[in-house]
Amino acid sequence: MRNCAVIGAGILLAAGCSHAERQARTAGEHGAVKGRATATRSPSPTPPPPRKIDCDRVKCVALTFDDGPGPYTARLLDTLKKNGARATFFMLGENVGAHRDIVRRMALEGQEVANHSWSHPDLTTLSPSEVRSQIQRTQKAVKDASGITPTLVRPPYGSTNKRVEHAIGMPLVLWSVDTLDWRYRDVARDTRVGVNEPKSGGIVLFHDIHKPSVDSIPKVVDGLRKRGFTFVTVSELFTGRRLAPGTSYSERTAPPVQVTASPPAGGSSTGPPAASKAPTAPAPAGSAPGAPAPDASASRGPVPGSPAPGGPSPSGPAPSGLAPAPPLPVSPR
């Protein structure tokens, strides 16, 4: 009996040890897996911040692309990344879902993501609630894909009015150069317009849903860089300036420069310069005290260019020394 008890206790002890060993082994395996998962998990990448570029001093241009993302957008991003160029993408919300990885890549590579409505209607034909729906649905789609909430809107066709501006409640971005790439679909023409027409502070309109447009960008970037341009996003273009909600912007204009005349022009607030007194010639010997001195110029004859004695005086206003300022050029948009 005693032997049976001893044998039974031994079996229980062995079973308990075996169970304990299994628990320890399982815990160790879970710990190892958890440790490996912790070791391999890397922090999620974040988009780079906008650069601080003074486009009043630097020759800046903002390339913008509408209606994407599409089948050629990834190749366009390759070109921009290779050249260290940044641009702005005004996207349609209905296109974002099929290209979420492309939209995320835009943000991570420092490109600006922006809103171009959900389905490209003329917003001026919609009610305020319909306008808000077009914008808000796109805001959500872009935010979900990229992690970034757009701050800029480009109304389709550039069509807007006070009612649309109020309904959107965000700054509206138009353009200073319309390449018309959607109409001509011609690489050579897109390149020529894209290189030659931009001016400092300009915003250039392309469409990344058209293959010829994307094909032209390597030469456009190269040509503009040779002209001394720096490629910026729209938000970077307006660094240092507040973009007001409901206001449309087509370019960054240079700040006004105050011009002053030296000496001040006639009729200016500072008045004409004080007249100086000519030295009085000494009276000749023998003249009466108080008698006027003779005109020294009489013996030299008339000064060239002056009116003859007794002749008529020249007509017209006296020259001020400051030519009238030419009229300021009017922006085409």
Side-chain angles (χ1 to χ4, degrees):
M1 192 72 164
R2 185 181 306 143
N3 291 337
C4 292
V6 171
I7 293 171
I11 293 172
L12 290 174
L13 180 61
C17 291
S18 176
H19 179 67
E21 288 174 358
R22 283 198 303 271
Q23 284 185 323
R25 187 165 56 250
T26 302
E29 290 172 354
H30 284 308
V33 171
K34 183 177 181 181
R36 285 196 299 271
T38 302
T40 57
R41 185 183 300 127
S42 58
S44 177
T46 57
R51 301 164 298 178
K52 301 297 184 183
I53 299 176
D54 185 352
C55 290
D56 287 333
R57 297 178 178 272
V58 178
K59 190 177 181 181
C60 296
V61 65
L63 300 181
T64 64
F65 299 92
D66 284 14
D67 297 352
Y72 312 110
T73 306
R75 183 158 57 88
L76 173 59
L77 290 174
D78 292 341
T79 298
L80 296 174
K81 183 177 181 180
K82 177 181 177 181
N83 289 276
R86 292 195 184 182
T88 302
F89 290 82
F90 290 93
M91 291 176 282
L92 296 178
E94 65 180 7
N95 290 344
V96 169
H99 303 280
R100 290 172 57 89
D101 56 334
I102 297 297
V103 178
R104 177 63 175 161
R105 179 185 168 188
M106 289 176 187
L108 291 177
E109 293 182 357
Q111 313 301 337
E112 183 165 16
V113 295
N115 193 318
H116 195 39
S117 82
W118 180 263
S119 57
H120 210 278
D122 182 343
L123 298 180
T124 63
T125 66
L126 305 183
S127 68
S129 62
E130 290 172 328
V131 171
R132 284 190 291 270
S133 175
Q134 285 279 328
I135 300 306
Q136 291 169 2
R137 292 173 68 193
T138 303
Q139 290 287 93
K140 184 179 186 305
V142 174
K143 173 68 162 56
D144 290 346
S146 68
I148 303 294
T149 301
T151 60
L152 304 174
V153 171
R154 172 170 283 164
Y157 315 105
S159 180
T160 185
N161 57 26
K162 292 296 183 183
R163 180 167 49 84
V164 169
E165 294 165 357
H166 180 74
I168 291 177
M170 296 166 62
L172 278 62
V173 177
L174 303 180
W175 52 84
S176 59
V177 176
D178 186 352
T179 62
L180 297 176
D181 59 334
W182 58 270
R183 176 183 295 172
Y184 293 100
R185 316 286 179 93
D186 182 271
V187 175
R189 185 187 182 281
D190 292 345
T191 302
R192 183 174 65 254
V193 175
V195 170
N196 295 332
E197 291 197 10
K199 296 179 174 60
S200 183
I203 299 174
V204 186
L205 171 61
F206 283 99
H207 296 79
D208 54 314
I209 59 171
H210 301 308
K211 183 177 182 296
S213 302
V214 174
D215 289 345
S216 73
I217 297 305
K219 290 184 178 180
V220 169
V221 169
D222 184 60
L224 289 174
R225 180 160 282 153
K226 287 178 179 177
R227 291 185 59 200
F229 280 100
T230 296
F231 300 97
V232 296
T233 66
V234 171
S235 290
E236 289 175 338
L237 181 69
F238 289 99
T239 296
R241 300 188 185 182
R242 177 180 176 271
L243 299 185
T247 301
S248 296
Y249 301 87
S250 60
E251 61 185 345
R252 180 184 178 112
T253 56
V257 179
Q258 185 168 357
V259 179
T260 58
S262 180
S268 70
S269 59
T270 56
S276 59
K277 294 183 178 180
T280 304
S287 62
D295 185 357
S297 65
S299 61
R300 300 192 300 269
V303 178
S306 64
S313 61
S315 59
S320 66
L322 182 65
L328 292 175
V330 178
S331 172
R333 293 185 181 273

